[in-house]
Amino acid sequence: MTVEAHSPLIRKLSAFVALSEAELGVLDRLHRRRRTFVAGRDMVHQGQSDQAAYILSSGWVCSYKIQADGTRQIVDFQIPGDFLGLRSVLLRTSDHSFEPIVNIEAAEVLTSDLLDAFAQTPRLATAILWAASRDEAMVVEHLVGIGRRDADARMAHFLLELGSRLALVGMGSKKGYDCPLTQYHLADALGLSAVHVNRVLRQLRESDLVTFRDGRVTFHDYGGLVDVAEFDPAYLDQTGPLLK
Amino acid sequence: MTVEAHSPLIRKLSAFVALSEAELGVLDRLHRRRRTFVAGRDMVHQGQSDQAAYILSSGWVCSYKIQADGTRQIVDFQIPGDFLGLRSVLLRTSDHSFEPIVNIEAAEVLTSDLLDAFAQTPRLATAILWAASRDEAMVVEHLVGIGRRDADARMAHFLLELGSRLALVGMGSKKGYDCPLTQYHLADALGLSAVHVNRVLRQLRESDLVTFRDGRVTFHDYGGLVDVAEFDPAYLDQTGPLLK
């Protein structure tokens, strides 16, 4: 098996930079401290200091903040190839918590590992900065959306964005994707009640746009859903390597 | 004059990494393409491709998105020492617009400049990734706040965060800071109407917490304002260099 085939991060960064053999080797070494975490138990707590970052290699994670009023805002979901807590390792104190949604595998990355990797290949530093920038663009898109989009458009946008991200790492297409999220995850991410999530999903299904059922998102009318969401994937920047 | 004295970015990155003479030299060279931009005219438009990033050396800028319904959401303000459009240069398409609030000076930075700088000093790559991570943490804090905090707490949090950021580059203290923002900027950043902004500022002033008048924010009771905002500056990570 080639390195690319077993690392979603390498697939993802390849969308930004045409990686050399040497760079692939450096990335591979970043994956050497393999860890597993069980579903439902926080791996990093909001306010926790001095923890490592992780590269998610299989499974799904959500990052969230608990507000002063006790409600939970899911900031983002992480899928294979995403960093967990890259911010936290650099900022020393985590500004949110991470909870695995299913059992996951992840590689632990220390600040010193990052420095070593960057010293060996500055293009990799740029590629990781690209990935962090893309994550920030998604969070902005997502949180601005909560304030401005109606519930149907918000859900449609969310399902399309996840689909694009999964497609980049070979786990989805314009037909659909497997998705372990519950209605409670969707509710906490989109700022809706679970009952409202249910109603919105039924409407989208009855309009023959998309079905989310039994852990599978199936697009029936991808273009129609793009229209409902006013989804413009430019901010995901998946058009091919910028750095040759 | 030393390099540090004339570069807010260097002051800011010094909070994360103890910079060597060589690293200071690399940072100084990143500032060599100096540009000026006039207040009120967008320097980067949402959807624009292939523009450079900038390091702001003097003045204030706002970054914003225009929503489908025509309303403007200010995502963040940039102050001296901040990058403008670091995301944009990496993601190729800008996901928002940048407008100078006053006349500004900024250094233009191309992707190739970043690669050169990172090749010369990988610690600088880590420091810039730190700065980008801190920006993302602020955006998350800010946008989550719109959904969850009441208007008084939101305004208090906003004024305290700005004060901490300005203090890091030597432009503010717990007594206060100069601030060119108008009520319209505050409204578009906090998701309030201009009338509501006015009322909230009056309440905070009449409670002897803070006054914002004639381009100056004056803290009367810093600790009291921190309580109103439930402000915990840990996410700003200003406690001193992590990398020696």
Side-chain angles (χ1 to χ4, degrees):
Chain A
M1 194 161 64
T2 64
V3 172
E4 293 100 301
H6 70 254
S7 167
L9 175 62
I10 288 173
R11 283 191 71 137
K12 184 169 125 176
L13 294 184
S14 298
F16 176 70
V17 52
L19 294 160
S20 68
E21 281 302 313
E23 287 161 345
L24 289 171
V26 171
L27 268 174
D28 205 37
R29 282 193 293 284
L30 274 186
H31 286 76
R32 70 179 180 274
R33 269 190 289 274
R34 302 199 161 271
R35 303 275 182 267
T36 56
F37 296 91
V38 298
R41 191 178 300 169
D42 277 359
M43 34 191 306
V44 175
H45 298 288
Q46 195 170 330
Q48 185 179 336
S49 300
D50 297 323
Q51 74 285 4
Y54 299 90
I55 301 164
L56 187 58
S57 42
S58 79
W60 292 52
V61 173
C62 72
S63 56
Y64 65 92
K65 288 173 88 88
I66 297 293
Q67 303 300 308
D69 64 1
T71 55
R72 175 166 96 153
Q73 173 68 53
I74 291 182
V75 173
D76 202 8
F77 296 98
Q78 283 76 40
I79 61 169
D82 288 346
F83 274 96
L84 308 178
L86 185 59
R87 278 221 301 271
S88 313
V89 71
L90 294 169
L91 299 184
R92 282 169 277 193
T93 303
S94 181
D95 63 333
H96 47 240
S97 304
F98 289 92
E99 180 190 304
I101 289 168
V102 295
N103 293 342
I104 63 158
E105 288 183 1
E108 188 178 322
V109 179
L110 309 177
T111 312
S112 55
D113 297 332
L114 275 184
L115 277 173
D116 288 349
F118 291 176
Q120 291 171 66
T121 162
R123 279 161 42 106
L124 194 60
T126 318
I128 289 177
L129 192 57
W130 167 82
S133 299
R134 184 172 170 271
D135 288 349
E136 187 185 351
M138 278 192 287
V139 167
V140 170
E141 186 72 27
H142 171 190
L143 292 176
V144 169
I146 288 183
R148 306 286 186 183
R149 289 189 196 103
D150 70 24
D152 279 20
R154 225 182 289 172
M155 179 69 76
H157 198 278
F158 178 80
L159 295 175
L160 287 165
E161 179 184 278
L162 260 183
S164 290
R165 292 170 64 188
L166 289 161
L168 185 62
V169 291
M171 297 172 65
S173 73
K174 289 189 177 175
K175 292 189 172 169
Y177 51 87
D178 291 329
C179 178
L181 304 181
T182 67
Q183 286 171 12
Y184 299 99
H185 291 121
L186 297 177
D188 287 349
L190 300 176
L192 302 171
S193 68
V195 171
H196 200 171
V197 163
N198 227 340
R199 194 183 320 137
V200 169
L201 286 175
R202 193 178 59 236
Q203 279 163 3
L204 292 172
R205 188 173 64 238
E206 287 174 359
S207 309
D208 283 324
L209 291 165
V210 61
T211 298
F212 181 15
R213 186 183 274 163
D214 300 332
R216 177 88 195 164
V217 172
T218 307
F219 295 124
H220 306 302
D221 177 0
Y222 192 87
L225 201 63
V226 164
D227 289 343
V228 167
E230 303 189 66
F231 181 64
D232 173 359
Y235 69 99
L236 295 173
D237 187 43
Q238 301 187 166
T239 52
L242 177 65
L243 301 182
K244 306 298 177 195
Chain B
M1 192 162 63
T2 63
V3 172
E4 291 100 302
H6 69 254
S7 168
L9 176 62
I10 289 173
R11 283 191 72 136
K12 182 170 127 177
L13 294 184
S14 298
F16 177 71
V17 55
L19 293 160
S20 68
E21 281 303 312
E23 287 161 346
L24 289 171
V26 171
L27 267 174
D28 205 37
R29 283 193 294 283
L30 273 185
H31 286 76
R32 71 180 180 274
R33 269 190 289 275
R34 302 198 161 272
R35 303 276 182 268
T36 57
F37 295 91
V38 298
R41 190 177 302 168
D42 278 359
M43 31 191 311
V44 175
H45 298 288
Q46 193 168 332
Q48 185 180 335
S49 299
D50 297 324
Q51 76 284 4
Y54 299 91
I55 300 165
L56 187 58
S57 42
S58 79
W60 291 52
V61 173
C62 73
S63 56
Y64 65 92
K65 289 172 88 86
I66 298 293
Q67 302 300 306
D69 65 2
T71 55
R72 174 166 96 151
Q73 173 69 52
I74 291 183
V75 173
D76 201 7
F77 296 98
Q78 281 77 40
I79 59 170
D82 286 346
F83 275 95
L84 307 178
L86 185 58
R87 276 219 304 269
S88 313
V89 70
L90 294 169
L91 299 184
R92 281 169 276 194
T93 304
S94 182
D95 62 333
H96 47 240
S97 303
F98 290 92
E99 181 191 303
I101 289 168
V102 296
N103 294 341
I104 63 158
E105 288 182 2
E108 187 178 322
V109 179
L110 309 176
T111 312
S112 55
D113 297 331
L114 275 184
L115 277 173
D116 288 349
F118 292 175
Q120 290 171 66
T121 161
R123 278 160 42 105
L124 194 59
T126 317
I128 289 177
L129 191 57
W130 167 81
S133 299
R134 185 172 169 274
D135 288 349
E136 187 186 350
M138 278 192 288
V139 167
V140 169
E141 187 71 28
H142 170 192
L143 292 176
V144 169
I146 289 184
R148 304 290 187 179
R149 290 189 195 102
D150 69 25
D152 280 21
R154 225 181 290 172
M155 179 68 77
H157 198 277
F158 178 80
L159 295 175
L160 288 165
E161 180 184 279
L162 260 183
S164 290
R165 293 171 62 188
L166 288 161
L168 186 61
V169 290
M171 297 173 64
S173 72
K174 288 188 177 175
K175 293 187 172 171
Y177 51 87
D178 292 330
C179 178
L181 303 181
T182 67
Q183 286 171 12
Y184 299 100
H185 291 121
L186 298 177
D188 286 349
L190 300 176
L192 302 171
S193 69
V195 171
H196 200 172
V197 164
N198 228 338
R199 194 185 317 140
V200 169
L201 286 175
R202 193 175 63 234
Q203 279 163 3
L204 292 172
R205 187 172 66 238
E206 289 174 358
S207 309
D208 283 324
L209 291 166
V210 62
T211 298
F212 180 16
R213 186 183 274 162
D214 300 331
R216 176 87 195 162
V217 172
T218 307
F219 295 123
H220 307 302
D221 177 359
Y222 192 86
L225 201 63
V226 164
D227 289 343
V228 167
E230 303 187 65
F231 180 64
D232 174 359
Y235 69 98
L236 295 173
D237 188 44
Q238 302 186 167
T239 52
L242 177 66
L243 300 183
K244 307 298 179 193

